[in-house]
C-alpha cells in the first residue's frame, strides 16, 4: 500500500507536466556580449538566468542571445574559465534588451558564488545566515575526494569515519554517531536519508554548500547541525569533459572521467561521469603480515536533461557506488595501543565487505510567470554485508565475531522520497519572495546479524560453551512534512524572514532475538518472542530573521531557527528478561545567530563573521552495547553550544590568493545521565564528542605565469590545518590534544592540461580521527603523496 502511494506520487510529476497551464505573459529577448577589461569578446562563457532553465554559451566573438524571456527582474550569472564569475541584475520590460558584461581576470578578483541554500538560486553573500560555498575550483585546489575532507575548511565542521566510509559529521557541536545523522546531506537536491544510503565519494562536483546551524524549516529531519548540499556539474549546449589520473604511495589510485554534451541542441543533454578509487591500505595486520584495509570502489553519475519547452525541464539522474574493503574497521583496541603500534592491527577474523549503494531520481521543473514549481521523486538503496565473520574484539583471540551475511532481503535498505515545491517566479518584482512545499518519505530497513562468542571470550564459562546471539529486526518508517518560508522587503535595505515547517513521522519496529548454541545441530535454546512496537511523533520548526543591507557589499543579519531530529524505536538488547524495545523522543535545538557579510575593494576581499548560541534538548545519545553489538539510543540530557566563526578570502596581489577559515565551539552538556550495568552515571559538564574546540585552515596559493599570454602557469600552494582538543566518548576519557596538519600542492596548469604534485600530512602527524566509546581507536591517515594529471576538453 505504502509503495503504491509513493509510486502514484511519483507519477503525479508527469500529470503536472501535461495538465499545468502557463500564465499569459509578455516575452522579450536578452542579447549581448561578454568582454574582458580590454573589450575583447570572451568565447565559451556561460550566461545563465538564475531560477530559470534558461542559459546560453557565447560564440567565438563573445555574443549570446536568450529568446522568449518573460518581462521582470532577473539576476544573470556569467562564468568563464580564467575569469571571476559575476552576477548582473537586469530589469527586462522591453521587447529586446542588449547587455555588455565585463569579466575581470580571476587572478585579481574573487568569484561571485551562487548557492541554492534556500531552495532557490541566490548569491551566497546575500543569504542571511552562515553558509560556506566551496567551488569546483576549490574542490580541485584542496584536493577534496571525500566529503570528510572538508573538515576545518568549513568553520566548526569535523567529519571522520572508522574505516567504513560512513562519515560522522559535527557542525557547531551538534553530532550523532548513529545512522540517523545530525547533519543532513543533499546531493543534487536529494536527501541522503541515512548513512546507509549516503555516497561520500566526491567527483564531477560543481560546488559544495555547507549551511551551518539548524535548517529545520526548509530541510526538516536531521538538519539539526546544518546541511551539506552537494551539486554536480550539469550538461549544456557546450560539449565539455575531463579525464583525471591520480597515483600515490600506499597504492593510491584514482581514475576519473566525465563528459557533458547535447544530444539534441537546445533540447536533450547528457552527463556521464565515473571514478575508480583504489588503495593497498594504510594498515598492516600483524596476525598474518598482510595489508589489512586494501580496498577499491567504482562510482558513477549519469544524468539526462530534457528541455521540453522554455518553461518545462525534466531530469533523470542515476548514481551508484560499488565498494569493496578487505579491512573495514582498522581499529586498535585502545588509544595507547594505537600510538604504540601505529597503523597496525592484530585480528584473526579476516573478511571483506560488499557495499553497494544506488541513488536514482526524477525531477520535473516548471519556470512560469506566476510561480516556479519542482517535483523530485527519488529512490535509494544500500546492500551491505561481510563475506565472512568480522572481528569484534579487534585482537588475535577467538573472542567475538560479527556475522551479517544472511542474503537478501536482510541488510538491504530501501528509501523512497518525494518532494513538491513551489516558489515565487524569477521574474517577480514583488517585495515578497516565498517558498512552500511538501515532502514525503518511506524507509524499509531489514537488519539481521549474529554475535558469536568463541572459546577465548572472557564471559564464556567452559571451552565447549560456544554460542551466538542472533538478532533480526524489520524497521519501517514513513513521514510527511509541509513547509513554507518567505522574505518580505520592508524597505530597500531591510528584509524580514519568517518560516514554519510541520513534520509527522510513523515508526514501526519488529524484533526477533535468540540465543544459539553452536555445537547443537538444532541450536536454538532460548528465544525472545517476536515483538512489534510502533510509535509516531510530530514537530513544528519555525524560523524568524532580519537582514539589513547597508549596500550590495555589506549585509547584517540576525536569525532564530529551530532544528529537529526524529525520535524512533531502539532495541535495549537481546536479553528476554529486559523490555525488548524502547521509544526515544525527538531531539530539538533552538539556535540564535548574528553575523555580518562583507566584500571590499571591488570583490578582491571577502570577510564574514558570525556568532551563535544553540540549546539542544532531549539530546539523543547512541551507545554501542557489547557484546551484542546493538546500538541503543536514548534521550539523556541537554547540551549548550556557543561560538564564533570567521571566513576570509582575498586576492592579495595579482595571482596570489589567501583563504582563512576559523571556528571556535564551546559545547557542554548541562545535564547528561547515562545508565549502564544497572547504575546511573552523571556526566553533566562534559564536553560534546567529535567536536574540536577550534578549527582553523589557512591556505595560500601563488600562480606564476610562464609566457606573455598567461596560458601556462606554475602553481604553488600550501595549507595549514589546526584542530583543537576534542573528545570521543561522553565521559571524556578518550581525548585528542590539539594538532596541526600541513598540506601542499604544486605543478603546472594550462587551459587544457594540469599536472599537480601533492602531499598531505607532510609531518606524518599521528592523531585520533575516530574512536568508539568502548575504547577502540582509528588513526587519521599518515603522510600521503602523489601526482594528479588532468585533461579538459
Amino acid at each position: 500500500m505504502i509503495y503504491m502511494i509513493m509510486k502514484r506520487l511519483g507519477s503525479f510529476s508527469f500529470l503536472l507536466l501535461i495538465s499545468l497551464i502557463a500564465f499569459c505573459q509578455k516575452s522579450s529577448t536578452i542579447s549581448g556580449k561578454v568582454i574582458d577589461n580590454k573589450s575583447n569578446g570572451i568565447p565559451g562563457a556561460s550566461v545563465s538566468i538564475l531560477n530559470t532553465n534558461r542559459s546560453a554559451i557565447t560564440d567565438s566573438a563573445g555574443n549570446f542571445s536568450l529568446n522568449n524571456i518573460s518581462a521582470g527582474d532577473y539576476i544573470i550569472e556569467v562564468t568563464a574559465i580564467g575569469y571571476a564569475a559575476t552576477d548582473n541584475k537586469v530589469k527586462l520590460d522591453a521587447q529586446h534588451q542588449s547587455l555588455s558584461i565585463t569579466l575581470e581576470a580571476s587572478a585579481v578578483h574573487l568569484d561571485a558564488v551562487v548557492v541554492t541554500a534556500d531552495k532557490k538560486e541566490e548569491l551566497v553573500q546575500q543569504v542571511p545566515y552562515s553558509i560556506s560555498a566551496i567551488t569546483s575550483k576549490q574542490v580541485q585546489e584542496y584536493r577534496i575526494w571525500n566529503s570528510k575532507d572538508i573538515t576545518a575548511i568549513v568553520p566548526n565542521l569535523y567529519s571522520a569515519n572508522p574505516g567504513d566510509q560512513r562519515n560522522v559529521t559535527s557542525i557547531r557541536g551538534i553530532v550523532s554517531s548513529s545512522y540517523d545523522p545530525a547533519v543532513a546531506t543533499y546531493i543534487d537536491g536529494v536527501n541522503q536519508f541515512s548513512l546507509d544510503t549516503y555516497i561520500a565519494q566526491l567527483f564531477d562536483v560543481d560546488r559544495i554548500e555547507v549551511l551551518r546551524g539548524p535548517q529545520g524549516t526548509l530541510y526538516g529531519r536531521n538538519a539539526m547541525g546544518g546541511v551539506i548540499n552537494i551539486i554536480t556539474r550539469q550538461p549544456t549546449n557546450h560539449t565539455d569533459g575531463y579525464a583525471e589520473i591520480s597515483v600515490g604511495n600506499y597504492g593510491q589510485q584514482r581514475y576519473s572521467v566525465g563528459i557533458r554534451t547535447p544530444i539534441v541542441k537546445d533540447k536533450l543533454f547528457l552527463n556521464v561521469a565515473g571514478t575508480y578509487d583504489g588503495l593497498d591500505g594504510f594498515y598492516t595486520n600483524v596476525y598474518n603480515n598482510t595489508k589489512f584495509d586494501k580496498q577499491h570502489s567504482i562510482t558513477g553519475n549519469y544524468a539526462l536533461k530534457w528541455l521540453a519547452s522554455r518553461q518545462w525541464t525534466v531530469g533523470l539522474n542515476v548514481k551508484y557506488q560499488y565498494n569493496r574493503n578487505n579491512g573495514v574497521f582498522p581499529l586498535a583496541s585502545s588509544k595507547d595501543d594505537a600510538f604504540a603500534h601505529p597503523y597496525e592491527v592484530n585480528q584473526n577474523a579476516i573478511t571483506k565487505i560488499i557495499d553497494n549503494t544506488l541513488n536514482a531520481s526524477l525531477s520535473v521543473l516548471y519556470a512560469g510567470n506566476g510561480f516556479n514549481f519542482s517535483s523530485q521523486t527519488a529512490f535509494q538503496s544500500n546492500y551491505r554485508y561481510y563475506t565472512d565473520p568480522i572481528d569484534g574484539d579487534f585482537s588475535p583471540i577467538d573472542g567475538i565475531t560479527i556475522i551479517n551475511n544472511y542474503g537478501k532481503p536482510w541488510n538491504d535498505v530501501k528509501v523512497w522520497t518525494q518532494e513538491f515545491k513551489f516558489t515565487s517566479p524569477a521574474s517577480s518584482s514583488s517585495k515578497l519572495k516565498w517558498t512552500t512545499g511538501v515532502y514525503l518519505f518511506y524507509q524499509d530497513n531489514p537488519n539481521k546479524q549474529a554475535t558469536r562468542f568463541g572459546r577465548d571470550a572472557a564471559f564464556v564459562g567452559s571451552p565447549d560453551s560456544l554460542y551466538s546471539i542472533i538478532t533480526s529486526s524489520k524497521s519501517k518508517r514513513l513521514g510527511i512534512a509541509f513547509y513554507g518560508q518567505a522574505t518580505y522587503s520592508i524597505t530597500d535595505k531591510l528584509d524580514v524572514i519568517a518560516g514554519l515547517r510541520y513534520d509527522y513521522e510513523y515508526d514501526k519496529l519488529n524484533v526477533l532475538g535468540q540465543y544459539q548454541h553452536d555445537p547443537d545441530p538444532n541450536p536454538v535454546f532460548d528465544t525472545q518472542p517476536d515483538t512489534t512496537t510502533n510509535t509516531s511523533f510530530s514537530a513544528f520548526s519555525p524560523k524568524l530573521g532580519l537582514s539589513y543591507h547597508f549596500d550590495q557589499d555589506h549585509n547584517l543579519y540576525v536569525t532564530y531557527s529551530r532544528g529537529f531530529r526524529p525520535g524512533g524505536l531502539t532495541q535495549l538488547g537481546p536479553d528476554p528478561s529486559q523490555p525488548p524495545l524502547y521509544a526515544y523522543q525527538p531531539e530539538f535545538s533552538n539556535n540564535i545567530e548574528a553575523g555580518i557579510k562583507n566584500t571590499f575593494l571591488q570583490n578582491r576581499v571577502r570577510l564574514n563573521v558570525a556568532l551563535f548560541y544553540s540549546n539542544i534538548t532531549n539530546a539523543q545519545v547512541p551507545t554501542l552495547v557489547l557484546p551484542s553489538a546493538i546500538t541503543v539510543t536514548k534521550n539523556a540530557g541537554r547540551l549548550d553550544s556557543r561560538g564564533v566563526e570567521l571566513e576570509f578570502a582575498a586576492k592579495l596581489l595579482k595571482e596570489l590568493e589567501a583563504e582563512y577559515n576559523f571556528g571556535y565551539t564551546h559545547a557542554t552538556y548541562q545535564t547528561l545521565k547515562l545508565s549502564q550495568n544497572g547504575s546511573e552515571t552523571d556526566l553533566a559538564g562534559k564536553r560534546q564528542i567529535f567536536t574540536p574546540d577550534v578549527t582553523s585552515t589557512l591556505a595560500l596559493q601563488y600562480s606564476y605565469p610562464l609566457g606573455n599570454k598567461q596560458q601556462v602557469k606554475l602553481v604553488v600552494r600550501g595549507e595549514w590545518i589546526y584542530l583543537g582538543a576534542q573528545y570521543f566518548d561522553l565521559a571524556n576519557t578518550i581525548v585528542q590534544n590539539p594538532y596541526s596538519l600541513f598540506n601542499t600542492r604544486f605543478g603546472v596548469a594550462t587551459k587544457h592540461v594540469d599536472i599537480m604534485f601533492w602531499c598531505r600530512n607532510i609531518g606524518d602527524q599521528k592523531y585520533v580521527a575516530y574512536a568508539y566509546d568502548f575504547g577502540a581507536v582509528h588513526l587519521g591517515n599518515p603522510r600521503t603523496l602523489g601526482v594528479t594529471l588532468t585533461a579538459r576538453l
Side-chain angles (χ1 to χ4, degrees):
M1 174 64 72
I2 296 173
Y3 170 76
M4 292 301 297
I5 292 173
M6 297 298 296
K7 185 176 180 181
R8 289 172 183 174
L9 284 170
S11 300
F12 185 58
S13 302
F14 290 104
L15 294 177
L16 281 168
L17 181 61
I18 298 172
S19 63
L20 192 59
I21 300 176
F23 284 37
C24 294
Q25 52 194 293
K26 298 178 181 179
S27 61
S28 303
T29 297
I30 299 177
S31 63
K33 189 172 185 177
V34 179
I35 59 176
D36 60 20
N37 56 12
K38 295 181 180 179
S39 299
N40 297 315
I42 300 176
S46 174
V47 182
S48 303
I49 303 177
L50 299 190
N51 296 300
T52 73
N53 60 11
R54 308 307 305 279
S55 64
I57 302 295
T58 59
D59 60 20
S60 58
N63 298 311
F64 70 92
S65 179
L66 292 162
N67 301 317
N68 297 319
I69 308 298
S70 304
D73 296 334
Y74 295 97
I75 296 178
I76 296 179
E77 181 191 27
V78 183
T79 62
I81 296 176
Y83 297 89
T86 186
D87 61 273
N88 300 265
K89 292 185 178 180
V90 176
K91 186 175 182 63
L92 186 61
D93 52 15
Q95 290 298 311
H96 182 274
Q97 189 157 337
S98 182
L99 304 174
S100 178
I101 301 172
T102 302
L103 297 185
E104 299 290 344
S106 59
V108 293
H109 286 269
L110 298 170
D111 286 321
V113 181
V114 172
V115 296
T116 53
D118 281 337
K119 299 201 172 185
K120 59 183 179 181
E121 294 177 320
E122 56 191 326
L123 298 172
V124 66
Q125 289 297 97
Q126 303 297 319
V127 177
Y129 53 83
S130 295
I131 175 172
S132 299
I134 304 172
T135 65
S136 59
K137 177 175 175 287
Q138 291 173 306
V139 168
Q140 291 182 334
E141 291 171 346
Y142 278 109
R143 211 221 68 169
I144 299 174
W145 289 356
N146 187 289
S147 61
K148 68 182 177 67
D149 295 336
I150 64 176
T151 292
I153 297 173
V154 176
N156 285 324
L157 183 146
Y158 180 81
S159 186
N161 65 68
D164 65 348
Q165 304 304 317
R166 278 157 168 75
N167 297 332
V168 169
T169 301
S170 164
I171 297 180
R172 294 179 172 178
I174 301 178
V175 64
S176 174
S177 57
S178 73
Y179 276 65
D180 264 332
V183 175
T185 299
Y186 281 69
I187 302 179
D188 289 332
V190 177
N191 181 11
Q192 307 300 288
F193 198 80
S194 72
L195 293 187
D196 279 314
T197 55
Y198 168 41
I199 298 176
Q201 189 73 252
L202 296 179
F203 68 102
D204 201 33
V205 172
D206 182 67
R207 66 183 182 275
I208 302 171
E209 307 167 4
V210 181
L211 291 61
R212 306 192 299 277
Q215 306 296 328
T217 304
L218 291 180
Y219 292 92
R221 66 188 326 272
N222 296 342
M224 286 273 295
V227 175
I228 299 174
N229 193 16
I230 300 167
I231 298 95
T232 61
R233 291 170 176 154
Q234 299 299 308
T236 66
N237 270 327
H238 176 67
T239 297
D240 64 351
Y242 72 96
E244 185 175 279
I245 299 174
S246 297
V247 294
N249 59 341
Y250 295 99
Q252 292 182 93
Q253 301 176 66
R254 178 180 165 100
Y255 310 111
S256 297
V257 64
I259 187 168
R260 293 170 294 278
T261 187
I263 298 176
V264 179
K265 188 178 180 180
D266 296 326
K267 283 295 182 182
L268 187 62
F269 311 90
L270 173 68
N271 178 31
V272 176
T275 290
Y276 170 87
D277 253 304
L279 176 70
D280 284 348
F282 299 127
Y283 283 76
T284 298
N285 190 353
V286 298
Y287 181 81
N288 57 5
N289 197 32
T290 61
K291 282 294 184 181
F292 181 74
D293 52 332
K294 186 175 182 178
Q295 56 192 278
H296 70 271
S297 67
I298 298 175
T299 312
N301 179 31
Y302 311 109
L304 272 175
K305 184 170 74 172
W306 174 39
L307 299 183
S309 69
R310 65 186 182 90
Q311 294 174 315
W312 288 96
T313 305
V314 180
L316 177 65
N317 182 257
V318 176
K319 296 178 174 66
Y320 67 84
Q321 183 176 60
Y322 301 144
N323 183 34
R324 304 293 182 264
N325 192 333
N326 291 324
V328 67
F329 291 111
L331 299 166
S333 58
S334 69
K335 178 183 174 182
D336 290 341
D337 185 47
F339 283 101
H341 307 284
Y343 308 109
E344 290 184 0
V345 298
N346 193 356
Q347 299 183 17
N348 65 316
I350 312 299
T351 188
K352 178 171 72 173
I353 190 172
I354 306 296
D355 192 354
N356 298 332
T357 301
L358 173 68
N359 287 353
S361 64
L362 171 68
S363 60
V364 178
L365 308 176
Y366 169 80
N369 189 44
F371 60 87
N372 288 351
F373 164 79
S374 70
S375 166
Q376 189 161 59
T377 308
F379 170 76
Q380 303 167 46
S381 71
N382 175 257
Y383 183 45
R384 181 192 190 205
Y385 65 91
Y386 314 120
T387 56
D388 298 294
I390 189 171
D391 206 311
D393 52 64
F394 315 113
S395 74
I397 69 170
D398 182 18
I400 303 172
T401 51
I402 309 297
I403 305 165
N404 75 345
N405 187 4
Y406 291 98
K408 288 188 176 183
W410 295 110
N411 307 309
D412 186 11
V413 181
K414 294 182 174 64
V415 179
W416 292 266
T417 62
Q418 174 67 54
E419 183 172 19
F420 299 112
K421 180 184 65 179
F422 294 85
T423 66
S424 51
S427 59
S428 174
S429 57
S430 170
K431 292 184 177 182
L432 181 67
K433 307 292 184 182
W434 52 269
T435 300
T436 187
V438 59
Y439 174 79
L440 307 99
F441 75 87
Y442 171 70
Q443 182 191 42
D444 181 19
N445 186 1
N447 181 268
K448 185 174 184 178
Q449 72 175 30
T451 304
R452 178 186 179 275
F453 304 98
R455 298 181 184 277
D456 297 327
F459 33 79
V460 176
S462 60
D464 62 350
S465 61
L466 305 177
Y467 67 92
S468 299
I469 300 175
I470 300 178
T471 303
S472 60
S473 65
K474 294 182 179 180
S475 171
K476 297 183 185 297
R477 281 187 171 188
L478 66 153
I480 187 170
F482 303 91
Y483 63 86
Q485 182 169 304
T487 299
Y488 182 78
S489 299
I490 298 176
T491 69
D492 290 340
K493 294 182 177 294
L494 182 63
D495 297 337
V496 60
I497 305 105
L500 183 65
R501 184 185 183 103
Y502 173 76
D503 283 91
Y504 171 83
E505 295 198 13
Y506 173 83
D507 193 356
K508 180 180 179 181
L509 181 63
N510 172 265
V511 173
L512 174 64
Q514 62 185 13
Y515 294 128
Q516 177 177 347
H517 194 273
D518 284 356
D520 193 329
N522 205 357
V524 175
F525 69 87
D526 195 355
T527 301
Q528 177 178 301
D530 190 353
T531 305
T532 301
T533 301
N534 61 73
T535 187
S536 63
F537 40 85
S538 59
F540 285 98
S541 302
K543 180 174 184 175
L544 292 171
L546 289 172
S547 176
Y548 186 80
H549 312 283
F550 295 97
D551 52 45
Q552 64 178 1
D553 293 328
H554 306 282
N555 297 286
L556 180 70
Y557 66 87
V558 59
T559 62
Y560 161 79
S561 58
R562 195 182 198 210
F564 157 70
R565 196 149 65 96
L569 296 167
T570 186
Q571 298 173 238
L572 290 182
D575 186 349
S577 66
Q578 296 182 358
L581 300 175
Y582 167 79
Y584 57 94
Q585 299 304 306
E587 178 180 285
F588 297 97
S589 70
N590 293 285
N591 181 79
I592 298 174
E593 177 181 325
I596 187 168
K597 298 185 175 184
N598 304 282
T599 302
F600 303 99
L601 302 176
Q602 296 180 322
N603 208 28
R604 287 181 171 88
V605 177
R606 186 180 300 138
L607 177 65
N608 299 336
V609 180
L611 303 172
F612 67 89
Y613 170 77
S614 297
N615 173 262
I616 294 89
T617 57
N618 272 350
Q620 296 173 7
V621 177
T623 303
L624 185 63
V625 178
L626 297 179
S628 57
I630 294 174
T631 298
V632 174
T633 301
K634 290 187 177 182
N635 301 102
R638 182 172 68 87
L639 176 78
D640 280 359
S641 178
R642 57 178 62 88
V644 61
E645 295 164 343
L646 180 147
E647 293 178 292
F648 172 81
K651 298 288 186 176
L652 301 177
L653 299 170
K654 186 176 182 179
E655 302 290 1
L656 176 62
E657 56 187 288
E659 295 177 20
Y660 180 64
N661 300 312
F662 171 84
Y664 170 76
T665 299
H666 182 80
T668 306
Y669 280 97
Q670 303 305 301
T671 61
L672 181 61
K673 294 183 178 181
L674 296 180
S675 297
Q676 288 184 336
N677 301 321
S679 62
E680 187 175 76
T681 303
D682 189 348
L683 297 177
K686 297 297 184 181
R687 300 292 291 270
Q688 175 65 300
I689 60 175
F690 293 99
T691 303
D693 59 358
V694 172
T695 65
S696 173
T697 295
L698 173 65
L700 294 172
Q701 179 168 303
Y702 180 69
S703 301
Y704 181 77
L706 301 175
N708 294 330
K709 293 185 177 182
Q710 301 189 2
Q711 294 291 320
V712 181
K713 295 180 180 181
L714 177 65
V715 178
V716 179
R717 180 182 180 87
E719 298 166 6
W720 171 35
I721 299 172
Y722 174 86
L723 293 171
Q726 67 171 315
Y727 302 89
F728 295 94
D729 67 319
L730 293 171
N732 289 180
T733 60
I734 307 174
V735 58
Q736 171 60 58
N737 293 322
Y739 62 94
S740 293
L741 301 174
F742 297 93
N743 304 327
T744 187
R745 178 177 179 265
F746 58 91
V748 176
T750 71
K751 184 176 181 180
H752 295 291
V753 178
D754 299 344
I755 181 167
M756 292 292 167
F757 300 89
W758 44 264
C759 183
R760 301 177 67 81
N761 190 6
I762 295 173
D764 203 21
Q765 175 72 43
K766 307 295 189 299
Y767 61 96
V768 177
Y770 192 102
Y772 287 97
D773 52 7
F774 59 84
V777 165
H778 176 73
L779 295 181
N781 291 350
R783 177 173 53 234
T784 57
L785 50 91
V787 59
T788 297
L789 176 65
T790 305
R792 292 177 294 272
L793 292 179

